[in-house]
Amino acid sequence: KAGMMTADAVTTVSPTYAGQLLDPAYACGLESVVRLCEGKLRGVLNGIDVETIDPRTAKGIAANFGPDDLAGKAACKAALQRDAGLEVCADAPVVSIVSRLVGHKGTDLVVQALDGIVECGCQLLVLGQGETHYENAFREAQARWPGRVSAQITYSDGLARRVYAGSDLLLMPSRSEPCGLSQMIAMRYGSVPIARETGGLRDTVLSYNKFTDEGNGFTFFNYNAHDMLHVIREACGVFRYNKSAWKKLMVQGMKSDFSWDSSADRYIEVYHTALGW
């Protein structure tokens, strides 16, 4: 509170989250302070290191690829399926989760929807650790659907990179997400995000428009498993039946500018405003 009240400028990690902080559900009791500081509050989206996170040059993945040459993506997918114990099948969309397995990340929605997700004909790969009951739920799902569900209950940067490179879709159904980096990294690797419209996810994942082919992912607004599952089915349908639209989604995501160069310009604007320049 003292820092916010006395600062010349207050920033947080995405424009949407800056607005959400006026809501008691997000402000953790500081909503009145946020309102007092609203005039000097600015949301600046986090960035990623686009030189390190580059599938054209990344090491540790099965093949390199880029927005102008996607051929290596198929090799990365086959290698991921094989290494994760999934059936090696190019036609089955791989939906991945790279996350802490806790409530505010939307893990409860995924557990509720497991039957429906598998019925979509997709494969689900979960990478992360967290609350024991969620970890066990995914282990049980792997035992129930061998070759269709893979529970990688661990933290591994190398495996995460292979998951991003080999997945078709990244699922982020977060209850709250101030910014989020996984969706940016996934798009960089040609994995199309499915995200709930909250915080930085809303600022970075633009919903696919089937009439114009615009967008770089799929989104849903209400926090419930039914809406999430509906969008997963929609995404799997585009993957299977509209290959040209799918390629555009991948390429648009890979070419999105999530670099720190862009974010740094916004921070410079904040400093100029604070200085009265």
Side-chain angles (χ1 to χ4, degrees), residues 145-252:
W145 293 292
R148 302 286 299 281
V149 176
S150 176
Q152 303 293 318
I153 309 302
T154 184
Y155 281 118
S156 168
D157 288 339
L159 179 54
R161 189 179 308 113
R162 296 194 295 275
V163 170
Y164 289 127
S167 299
D168 299 298
L169 291 150
L170 179 85
L171 179 58
M172 292 187 71
S174 305
R175 182 182 291 117
S176 65
E177 195 71 58
C179 178
L181 297 177
S182 291
Q183 79 279 12
M184 302 182 200
I185 299 170
M187 282 189 269
R188 187 82 170 142
Y189 278 98
S191 292
V192 178
I194 300 172
R196 182 168 170 262
E197 295 177 19
T198 187
L201 297 177
R202 186 173 184 177
D203 297 319
T204 53
V205 183
L206 308 178
S207 190
Y208 169 65
N209 185 323
K210 64 182 179 181
F211 301 106
T212 64
D213 282 345
E214 294 175 314
N216 58 17
F218 299 85
T219 67
F220 63 101
F221 181 75
N222 295 314
Y223 189 79
N224 64 65
H226 180 271
D227 285 11
M228 179 190 72
L229 185 56
H230 173 78
V231 175
I232 293 173
R233 287 173 177 149
E234 178 188 2
C236 290
V238 175
F239 173 86
R240 287 195 180 94
Y241 305 119
N242 196 338
K243 294 298 185 183
S244 63
W246 188 261
K247 182 178 179 180
K248 286 181 182 177
L249 275 167
M250 291 174 62
V251 171
Q252 284 163 186

Side-chain angles (χ1 to χ4, degrees), residues 44-66:
V44 180
L45 196 68
N46 273 340
I48 59 174
D49 183 345
V50 295
E51 293 184 7
T52 301
I53 303 169
D54 187 346
R56 294 170 295 189
T57 58
K59 300 186 185 303
I61 62 176
N64 294 116
F65 59 95

Side-chain angles (χ1 to χ4, degrees), residues 6-158:
T6 58
D8 296 302
V10 179
T11 66
T12 190
V13 291
S14 72
T16 293
Y17 188 62
Q20 288 178 323
L21 284 175
L22 298 167
D23 186 333
Y26 294 92
C28 300
L30 285 174
E31 59 273 8
S32 61
V33 179
V34 176
R35 289 191 182 280
L36 289 171
C37 298
E38 187 175 1
K40 60 183 179 181
L41 174 64
R42 177 85 176 270
V44 180
L45 196 68
N46 273 340
I48 59 174
D49 183 345
V50 295
E51 293 184 7
T52 301
I53 303 169
D54 187 346
R56 294 170 295 189
T57 58
K59 300 186 185 303
I61 62 176
N64 294 116
F65 59 95
D68 300 318
D69 181 9
L70 296 168
K73 180 77 174 176
C76 289
K77 177 176 178 176
L80 178 66
Q81 288 174 316
R82 183 176 59 251
D83 295 345
L86 297 169
E87 179 186 354
V88 178
C89 176
D91 295 330
V94 175
V95 179
S96 67
I97 296 170
V98 180
S99 173
R100 287 182 294 116
L101 305 180
V102 294
H104 83 270
K105 292 292 187 180
T107 313
D108 55 326
L109 299 188
V110 181
V111 171
Q112 290 173 41
L114 278 171
D115 284 38
I117 292 172
V118 175
E119 288 170 6
C120 290
C122 65
Q123 298 175 348
L124 178 66
L125 190 158
V126 180
L127 170 61
Q129 292 177 313
E131 297 174 18
T132 302
H133 60 287
Y134 290 134
E135 293 181 355
N136 290 338
F138 291 121
R139 289 190 180 103
E140 290 166 7
Q142 177 179 268
R144 183 179 175 188
W145 293 292
R148 302 286 299 281
V149 176
S150 176
Q152 303 293 318
I153 309 302
T154 184
Y155 281 118
S156 168
D157 288 339

